[in-house]
Amino acid sequence: MVRIDIISCVPELLERPLKHSILKRAQDKELLQVVVHNLRDYTSNKHRQIDDYPYGGGGGMVLKIEPIANLVRHLSKERTYDEKIYMTPDGAPFHQSMANQLSMATNLMILA
């Protein structure tokens, strides 16, 4: 069985797509297990804040490293991951050869 751990700050957005189509059929056949983790559960801030202003000023917000590091450490204690995927706007586009390579993995972690 393949296990995919997805880290998200809005896990409720992922619930519906994961319960339909090919992903649902794979989970029903116990070929795939998808677990979505709420990044806000791993912050020490009482307001569960996961973002902060960029170092040095400027516009926009950036994710704090502490909640990410806490969650990655927690998950890594439970299992060894074949791949840890950090999704970014300027990252490599997902293509078929990448899909073929990832299909051989048994444990994946995705920071969405």
Side-chain angles (χ1 to χ4, degrees):
M1 176 187 302
V2 175
R3 178 181 168 119
I4 302 174
D5 287 287
I6 301 175
I7 301 170
S8 175
C9 59
V10 285
E12 50 281 343
L13 289 178
L14 299 172
E15 290 174 6
R16 213 151 155 85
L18 294 173
K19 293 182 179 178
H20 290 84
S21 188
I22 195 168
L23 293 174
K24 181 184 181 328
R25 290 193 302 268
Q27 291 178 74
D28 289 345
K29 293 179 182 180
E30 297 182 359
L31 300 171
L32 173 68
Q33 180 183 18
V34 180
V35 181
V36 181
H37 303 273
N38 189 343
L39 187 58
R40 294 183 191 281
D41 293 341
Y42 291 85
T43 184
S44 58
N45 183 308
K46 71 177 183 178
H47 301 292
R48 299 176 51 165
Q49 183 179 4
I50 58 169
D51 57 349
D52 203 354
Y53 295 100
Y55 182 77
M61 299 292 277
V62 295
L63 286 175
K64 291 182 177 184
I65 191 61
E66 291 85 7
I68 298 170
N70 291 341
L71 182 49
V72 169
R73 270 191 230 114
H74 172 77
L75 292 175
S76 296
K77 288 179 186 175
E78 295 177 359
R79 66 190 42 78
T80 302
Y81 288 92
D82 300 313
E83 294 285 339
K84 293 177 184 170
I85 302 166
Y86 300 100
M87 300 175 69
T88 64
D90 62 341
F94 188 71
H95 47 75
Q96 187 62 47
S97 63
M98 200 180 292
N100 292 343
Q101 178 186 353
L102 292 174
S103 71
M104 306 306 287
T106 55
N107 290 309
L108 297 172
M109 180 189 301
I110 301 173
L111 174 60

